[in-house]
Amino acid sequence: ATKLSNKKMMVDTLNNLARYYLRTSQLDKMKEIINKTTKALDGFNYPAGKVAALSKIGTWYFAQNQFKDALKYYQQSANIVEVTDDPKGLAAAISNRGLTLKQLGEISKALEDYHRAIELSRSIQDYKQEAVTYGNIGVIHQQQGDLDQALDCYIKAVEIANSIGSKQIQTYYLGNLSTAYQAKGQRKEAIKAQQELLHISEITGN
């Protein structure tokens, strides 16, 4: 039991380290850690660790703009978590898949994944994932020229982020909100969004 526990701990540590290297844009080091994680998981039945590792591999390929390879690993991650009782993990997996499908031009499939991710996130009160996913849907609508739908999604993303105190998500989508208002010719609303963004930036020092 101790040996099994130690191996799980090692896989979790490697996955966390890969996440750190991703956040600090050290993609070469991230790749090295991913390779170590893959070896550690070889022949080891640890679904949660494997899902996390596959997601990291997908994210590494995504960061390299290799979207077909990213999709392959995100799909493998989704396949595993689909048969486990983990709605949070499934929401994250299909949201990643949706983001990649969007990059590959599979817009309808991406939207399908995003809407399912929202339902799953809402069912377990994972408001952070819900906010980000609404924002991602907004980006698609804005790129398609559907500014009303885009604004609706950005407003939802900002409101949810505000309700959970996530300034990072709030500021990101306030910027998108302002841009969409400008594109729609609603200058007053665009300025208001920019003022909110500036206010949060002054508070957080970012």
Side-chain angles (χ1 to χ4, degrees):
T2 303
K3 187 176 180 181
L4 183 64
S5 178
N6 287 344
K7 192 158 188 179
K8 282 185 176 181
M9 189 182 298
M10 181 179 70
V11 170
D12 289 342
T13 300
L14 287 168
N15 278 325
N16 288 334
L17 193 54
R19 186 182 299 113
Y20 167 77
Y21 284 136
L22 173 65
R23 286 175 179 170
T24 54
S25 301
Q26 300 181 67
L27 295 181
D28 289 342
K29 289 185 177 180
M30 181 186 178
K31 182 64 173 175
E32 290 176 17
I33 296 300
I34 285 171
N35 290 338
K36 289 182 180 179
T37 312
T38 302
K39 288 179 181 178
L41 284 164
D42 187 28
F44 180 44
N45 184 25
Y46 182 28
K50 188 167 186 178
V51 165
L54 288 168
S55 176
K56 300 298 180 303
I57 297 170
T59 302
W60 186 87
Y61 278 115
F62 191 96
Q64 308 286 335
N65 295 325
Q66 297 179 37
F67 301 120
K68 287 185 179 180
D69 287 319
L71 181 61
K72 180 173 71 175
Y73 287 100
Y74 284 145
Q75 183 63 59
Q76 289 178 30
S77 174
N79 288 346
I80 295 172
V81 80
E82 188 86 56
V83 296
T84 65
D85 185 21
D86 181 13
K88 182 180 176 71
L90 182 56
I94 62 177
S95 185
N96 284 335
R97 186 175 67 192
L99 189 64
T100 311
L101 285 166
K102 171 187 169 291
Q103 294 294 335
L104 290 169
E106 300 277 358
I107 302 302
S108 60
K109 289 181 180 179
L111 286 171
E112 187 179 320
D113 272 350
Y114 282 154
H115 285 295
R116 189 179 174 205
I118 284 176
E119 290 177 9
L120 286 164
S121 301
R122 192 176 293 153
S123 72
I124 56 169
Q125 299 181 325
D126 184 358
Y127 299 120
K128 182 177 180 180
Q129 182 68 60
E130 184 183 357
V132 169
T133 307
Y134 266 122
N136 286 337
I137 294 173
V139 170
I140 288 178
H141 286 309
Q142 185 170 356
Q143 289 176 344
Q144 292 184 320
D146 190 346
L147 295 175
D148 288 331
Q149 287 270 36
L151 286 168
D152 183 55
C153 289
Y154 291 149
I155 289 169
K156 286 178 180 175
V158 170
E159 288 177 346
I160 294 169
N162 183 48
S163 72
I164 60 174
S166 177
K167 301 301 183 188
Q168 182 181 12
I169 297 174
Q170 200 176 351
T171 54
Y172 187 85
Y173 290 114
L174 275 170
N176 286 26
L177 185 61
S178 177
T179 302
Y181 275 131
Q182 287 174 352
K184 202 165 186 281
Q186 296 180 229
R187 187 169 177 271
K188 185 178 178 181
E189 288 82 356
I191 291 172
K192 184 180 177 182
Q194 282 291 341
Q195 287 173 336
E196 287 183 51
L197 179 57
L198 179 61
H199 177 65
I200 293 170
S201 298
E202 287 173 346
I203 292 172
T204 59
N206 293 327

